[in-house]
Amino acid sequence: MVRTYIKDLKEKIGKDVTVKGFVQSIRNQGGIKFLILRDVTGIIQCVVMKSDKEAFGFVEDLSLESVVSIEGLVKEEKQAPDGFEVQVKSIEILSKAYPELPIPVVYEKSGDETDVTKRLDYRWLDLRRPEHLQIFKVWTELEKGFRKFCDENNFVQIYTPSFMIAPSESGSEVFEVEYFDRKAYLAQSPQFYKQMALASGFDRVFMAGPVFRAEPSFTTRHMTEFTGWDFEMAYVDSHHDVMDLLEGAIVAGFSQIRDSLDIDIVVPSRPFPRLTMAEAKEKLSSRNVPSKAVFDVSPEEERILCEIVKEETNHDFVFLTDWPVEGRPFYHMRYEGDQKTTKSYDLLYRGLEIVTGAQREHRHDVLVRQAEEKKMNLNQLKDYLEFFRYGCPPHGGAGIGPGRIIMMLLDLSSVKEATFLPRDVKRLRP
Ligand code: ATP
């Protein structure tokens, strides 16, 4: 018989069905066994009567989280949690779980949470919890909205390699790997290659892919490998054009989640507030928030700044623009009349940086000068600098951390909770 999803059982009252899933709980009540079955769409109470000897015998043997196929009749039952249940006719055990689960899948009461390290050790069991699956459904819809937006705005999708001949950007956060008879490096971002696409005349490109960072950090916002979303667009007049587009993409992603999933979500209004770094620092100093550096913002400053903006505008997002050159990489464009300030931005959401971007410097000679000024190794940048030798449109773009967006959107304790199999300094398994 064709499998029926649990969410569709209501329409099958009075009919025989086959349901398949995990055994979430078993309760004995005299001559009746109640079994809660869970599939990807929900849970249902299944009832096995003692009179049904064969099925009853199977349940005696059943361990929690075993995978079963049940045939039975869907019937109304006032006392059942949903007002109906499946009266079991036969059970087939598709995969028996060993008893003694290393972590519980369902918690009896709140506060019974297993320690996160252990949960991540048994991530496949941890992910059986429906609220964890929901995180990835939200991610799927967010990405769908982003892609639809990119499509409607004439972006072309590209994939860039993870192996590089030289470290991109800074050398300190890069993983070095054996590559036959030489060394290679894992890409810290697709930055250089997506810019190459613009030198190839692609006009607008986007991509989603793995990003590697050898940062020994133990924060809730950093991993050593994460998924990055990137876009880059040609013929921008300034970083504000890029921010306009980014706002559109975020609104599209959030709207997609709101329209497809049953969760309460605020779709941000446009335009998002924009503050220059100078204005932001002024606001922070008016609240006596200590500043470690004028060219950067600390996590604490990010958090407080978002609180201030929320108070003032009721907005969850804020762009921090016009960063001093000291706080930005050499390829960020500077203002013609103010060589100390870059045409750059970060986007903060509910207290956390989720995107970095800028208008890029596309003029070969200026780019070389800025790289020299930042004491970059020009030899290592040789390929990159070549991209700008034979004509390249003015352009800008963004590097987005979807894991961080999901973390803040769903109020998760860490970006790792939003990641299928997180990798950090200590974790390389499962
Ligand atoms: P941070 O200042 O928080 O370390 P960053 O400035 O190094 O971040 P970028 O290099 O600008 O980050 O990367 C672009 C985006 O990728 C960030 O805005 C963030 O959303 C995400 N991101 C960066 N590093 C990590 C990481 N280690 N783990 C997860 N996401 C990250």
Side-chain angles (χ1 to χ4, degrees), residues 83-139:
F84 60 95
E85 61 190 15
V86 174
Q87 191 160 18
V88 178
K89 293 186 172 169
S90 70
I91 300 183
E92 186 189 349
I93 300 176
L94 302 176
S95 163
K96 198 164 164 179
Y98 285 98
E100 305 288 330
L101 294 169
I103 59 166
V105 169
V106 177
Y107 295 92
E108 292 300 320
K109 47 184 194 301
S110 62
D112 272 1
E113 281 278 330
T114 311
D115 157 67
V116 67
T117 309
K118 192 158 181 203
R119 284 204 288 112
L120 291 177
D121 285 345
Y122 293 96
R123 186 63 165 154
W124 70 100
L125 295 179
D126 183 46
L127 290 175
R128 285 188 192 177
R129 294 171 68 180
E131 64 270 32
H132 290 177
L133 171 63
Q134 180 78 347
I135 295 170
F136 297 90
K137 287 185 178 170
V138 170
W139 184 310

Side-chain angles (χ1 to χ4, degrees), residues 173 213 215 221-224 226 346 353-356 399-401 404 415:
E173 293 175 356
R213 302 273 168 100
E215 355 180 47
R221 51 158 66 185
H222 291 107
M223 294 179 296
T224 48
F226 64 93
D346 270 14
E353 176 204 321
I354 55 162
V355 184
T356 296
I400 305 164
R404 289 195 187 176
V415 71

Side-chain angles (χ1 to χ4, degrees), residues 298-427:
S298 65
E300 192 196 4
E301 287 177 286
E302 286 178 3
R303 193 174 45 74
I304 296 172
L305 211 47
C306 284
E307 281 170 13
I308 298 173
V309 171
K310 182 78 182 168
E311 267 170 43
E312 290 180 353
T313 67
N314 196 29
H315 213 286
D316 285 334
F317 290 82
V318 58
F319 281 109
L320 271 189
T321 70
D322 300 21
W323 289 55
V325 283
E326 295 91 331
R328 299 313 253 197
F330 71 95
Y331 54 82
H332 281 199
M333 185 178 264
R334 301 171 185 181
Y335 280 94
E336 272 321 314
D338 171 10
Q339 287 293 302
K340 288 186 176 349
T341 308
T342 57
K343 296 168 109 180
S344 61
Y345 66 87
D346 270 14
L347 178 59
L348 313 185
Y349 172 44
R350 294 187 170 165
L352 181 67
E353 176 204 321
I354 55 162
V355 184
T356 296
Q359 177 169 5
R360 325 295 185 184
E361 183 50 68
H362 62 284
R363 296 161 295 187
H364 180 260
D365 54 336
V366 182
L367 198 54
V368 172
R369 197 177 68 226
Q370 290 185 182
E372 277 169 345
E373 202 183 284
K374 287 255 184 197
K375 309 240 176 322
M376 302 296 295
N377 180 338
L378 290 199
N379 202 30
Q380 286 187 340
L381 290 175
K382 198 164 164 282
D383 285 347
Y384 174 66
L385 295 170
E386 285 282 301
F387 299 159
F388 303 92
R389 255 184 191 281
Y390 310 106
C392 181
H395 61 279
I400 305 164
R404 289 195 187 176
I405 301 180
I406 302 283
M407 170 189 173
M408 298 321 286
L409 176 65
L410 300 181
D411 199 19
L412 306 176
S413 63
S414 157
V415 71
K416 290 172 204 168
E417 299 269 4
T419 305
F420 186 64
L421 281 171
R423 291 287 178 255
D424 62 24
V425 179
K426 298 233 159 124
R427 182 169 293 281

